[in-house]
Amino acid sequence: MSRSVGALMLAGLPEWYAHDRFGAAARSAEDVKPTGANGKLNIGVIGVGPNPRRSNALYNEAKKFKDKVTFTAVCDVDGRHVGHAVTQYKRDGFDVRGFTDFRDLVNNKNVDAVIVATPDHWHAVIAIAAMKAGKDVYCEKPLTLTIEEALAMKKATAETKRVLQTGSQQRCEMQGRFRLATELVRAGRIGKVESIECRVGSNPRSGPIKEVEAPKELDWDMWLGPAPKVPYRWAESPDRREDFTNCHYQFRWWYEYSGGKMTDWGAHHIDIAQWMLNMDGSGPVSVELNECAKPYSKGDGYNCHETFKVTHTYATGAKMEVSHGAGSTATGLADAKGAKWRDRTGKEQDGVNGGQNGLLVKGDKGTLFVSRELLLASDKAVFAPLKDGDRAKLYGSVPTNHMGNFLDCVQSRETPICGVEVGAGSVIVCHLGTIALRLGKSKPLTWDPKTSTFGDEDANKMIARERRGGWKIS
């Protein structure tokens, strides 16, 4: 125990929280119970490739509970990925069956729950089909491609009474930094929140990408699914680090299949901002485009805005700014020990610059910055122990493993820490930002979080998209 607590303290977290965190981790390790007919929960994974594979990270997290879960099926529209996954899973001792059509997997009686790690434009179609087939679902973030799909996910979860976890793991993991930051903000340690800056990074550029024949193992039409029919594109990048394509992994930089960094990293940081503002399941009342670079528009290359900044305004008056890294500089910040942080070269830093990935929270009494590596504040007193009466009820327990929380809720039938109300609410805020970007209007767009409608006709037309091929979300 002392070693684990010491590690958290070395990471700059307060001692009292390190003890709380270690105790929660010890308790959660005992919580997950088997539920399948064979004494274990049978899991199927949809979207298993390629590298870098988020599904592989999720698989590694789930198999930590191998005394309680097993894997029975994998699916991908690329036969190469199916073959690789079947070999990998069997080498790990799981007797999996490979599929190329998700419908065959979700209707398989040997599957109790599914992990959905496909491109974003497939999330809602697959997750809803799985829930209707009686499966519980862990769906990667961002939960959906559109606002309409987010609302449909909420409806389907309520109707089927299935358990759904959104893969926004910052609420559980990262040594608890984001949860502690949220507790401190909600306890009023920096006063009334005036603004939150979410710095999510810029989108890459590609220029034109040549049209080529899709690999023979890839069912390109099925990969596109509900998205418009377009040619497959691929080109080798000059530095050979990442190939340019409109398919595997790089789909993130095409508005047809995703929302760029606004929904990629935004699904993480906007989710935490919503938590800090106690706005889960709700959202802002307006969104305004502040600045953006002109996107590539010839149709044959990445089309997400390379740089951008939008501001969401909440009914409380709090503002949430989301940008590629056009935030403000904050100096005089230190960790719980009163120490300044050091960068990768070992150089001491006095605060953070405007491009530092993470959330900068400004209150009328202080400032706080949190990222996956840092938790800093303008006054060491911000980190003083929280009394029970000061702690907001963020969730019924303190899960330290996001996948473990999902598995526990499958057994208990309770709502996960990132259930559909949280996941849908946060991704809707992400989509408000992409809609403001793509419309490019100079005036703020008003938004009613209760009716999920804009006060602008053009913006309302972007709440939903036409789906090709008869794919349904209802």
Side-chain angles (χ1 to χ4, degrees):
M1 174 176 174
S2 59
R3 227 179 252 181
S4 298
V5 170
L8 292 175
M9 291 174 65
L10 283 173
L13 298 176
E15 183 177 1
W16 63 268
Y17 189 74
H19 282 281
D20 284 357
R21 179 83 178 167
F22 180 81
R27 289 189 297 273
S28 65
E30 302 172 354
D31 283 344
V32 180
K33 301 177 179 63
T35 60
N38 62 356
K40 293 186 177 183
L41 182 72
N42 300 316
I43 298 178
V45 184
I46 304 172
V48 291
N51 283 322
R53 296 184 297 154
R54 179 60 187 150
S55 66
N56 210 41
L58 298 175
Y59 165 64
N60 287 330
E61 284 300 310
K63 74 177 183 180
K64 290 178 181 177
F65 304 90
K66 62 183 179 181
D67 57 329
K68 301 174 179 70
V69 305
T70 191
F71 293 86
T72 55
V74 295
C75 178
D76 200 282
V77 296
D78 192 322
R80 297 169 297 180
H81 304 159
V82 175
H84 176 88
V86 168
T87 300
Q88 177 188 8
Y89 284 43
K90 287 190 174 183
R91 186 174 59 241
D92 290 343
F94 301 113
D95 186 19
V96 296
R97 182 180 173 188
F99 297 93
T100 55
D101 190 319
F102 75 89
R103 291 168 291 191
D104 295 328
L105 187 151
V106 299
N107 289 307
N108 190 296
K109 293 181 180 179
N110 291 323
V111 174
D112 304 314
V114 300
I115 295 172
V116 179
T118 63
D120 306 353
H121 66 289
W122 269 113
H123 285 181
V125 172
I126 294 174
I128 290 172
M131 288 190 286
K132 288 187 174 182
K135 318 300 183 188
D136 296 313
V137 177
Y138 183 110
C139 186
E140 249 303 79
K141 62 82 207 167
L143 189 61
T144 68
L145 181 66
T146 68
I147 293 173
E148 178 199 37
E149 290 177 351
L151 300 175
M153 289 278 261
K154 291 170 66 172
K155 183 172 183 287
T157 307
E159 290 177 348
T160 62
K161 294 181 170 53
R162 304 318 302 174
V163 171
L164 184 142
Q165 174 84 298
T166 309
S168 298
Q169 73 271 27
Q170 288 184 167
R171 293 203 178 201
C172 293
E173 300 174 9
M174 316 306 161
Q175 296 183 306
R177 284 185 181 85
F178 291 95
R179 179 167 184 139
L180 175 56
T182 300
E183 287 192 354
L184 296 172
V185 169
R186 294 270 289 269
R189 288 294 173 85
I190 60 170
K192 182 181 178 181
V193 175
E194 296 177 338
S195 67
I196 300 179
E197 296 177 10
C198 298
R199 294 92 166 275
V200 299
S202 58
N203 290 306
R205 299 184 69 176
S206 67
I209 305 172
K210 61 184 178 183
E211 176 184 337
V212 298
E213 185 176 349
K216 63 180 185 300
E217 301 90 347
L218 170 66
D219 185 340
W220 176 237
D221 187 68
M222 187 65 169
W223 189 95
L224 288 170
K229 180 73 172 178
V230 296
Y232 176 81
R233 298 183 182 278
W234 178 90
E236 187 175 76
S237 64
D239 59 14
R240 297 189 177 182
R241 289 184 181 179
E242 294 178 346
D243 295 335
F244 296 126
T245 183
N246 58 346
C247 187
H248 302 317
Y249 191 79
Q250 312 301 347
F251 71 85
R252 290 164 170 78
W253 324 128
W254 302 76
Y255 282 127
E256 291 82 352
Y257 321 116
S258 188
K261 289 291 182 70
M262 185 74 75
T263 57
D264 186 43
W265 268 96
H268 289 302
H269 291 346
I270 289 172
D271 177 67
I272 298 301
Q274 285 271 107
W275 208 17
M276 288 177 169
L277 294 171
N278 195 20
M279 282 289 161
D280 281 342
S282 184
V285 294
S286 72
V287 58
E288 181 179 9
L289 171 62
N290 303 122
E291 62 179 76
C292 67
K294 185 178 180 180
Y296 184 78
S297 59
K298 295 183 179 180
D300 58 356
Y302 302 165
N303 58 15
C304 291
H305 296 72
E306 183 180 10
T307 60
F308 53 88
K309 181 161 69 173
V310 300
T311 299
H312 301 78
T313 301
Y314 289 78
T316 61
K319 294 184 181 296
M320 178 179 67
E321 174 190 291
V322 186
S323 79
H324 66 279
S328 57
T329 297
T331 58
L333 304 182
D335 65 18
K337 296 180 291 185
K340 296 178 181 180
W341 70 282
R342 295 180 181 276
D343 63 21
R344 293 179 181 178
T345 68
K347 184 178 180 181
E348 190 174 84
Q349 300 292 325
D350 181 28
V352 296
N353 61 41
Q356 188 89 20
N357 184 289
L359 294 91
L360 183 69
V361 191
K362 297 180 180 180
D364 59 7
K365 295 180 181 179
T367 302
L368 180 147
F369 178 81
V370 61
S371 69
R372 293 190 174 185
E373 297 82 26
L374 301 171
L375 178 55
L376 310 169
S378 54
D379 190 328
K380 187 179 177 181
V382 170
F383 297 109
L386 287 167
K387 298 177 181 179
D388 289 343
D390 295 333
R391 301 183 94 155
K393 188 174 181 180
L394 300 183
Y395 186 64
S397 61
V398 186
T400 58
N401 183 292
H402 205 60
M403 181 63 71
N405 174 246
F406 167 65
L407 298 174
D408 184 39
C409 290
V410 168
Q411 191 275 330
S412 68
R413 310 316 295 171
E414 294 178 356
T415 301
I417 193 168
C418 280
V420 72
E421 287 293 327
V422 170
S426 293
V427 82
I428 284 172
V429 182
C430 296
H431 294 322
L432 298 183
T434 58
I435 289 171
L437 271 175
R438 299 184 73 187
L439 276 181
K441 295 196 174 185
S442 58
K443 294 183 179 180
L445 301 172
T446 59
W447 172 255
D448 187 334
K450 292 182 179 179
T451 63
S452 298
T453 54
F454 289 99
D456 181 280
E457 184 178 347
D458 294 328
N460 280 326
K461 291 177 182 177
M462 300 181 75
I463 286 175
R465 299 188 192 183
E466 183 178 348
R467 281 176 292 279
R468 184 180 68 96
W471 294 103
K472 299 183 183 299
I473 55 172
S474 59

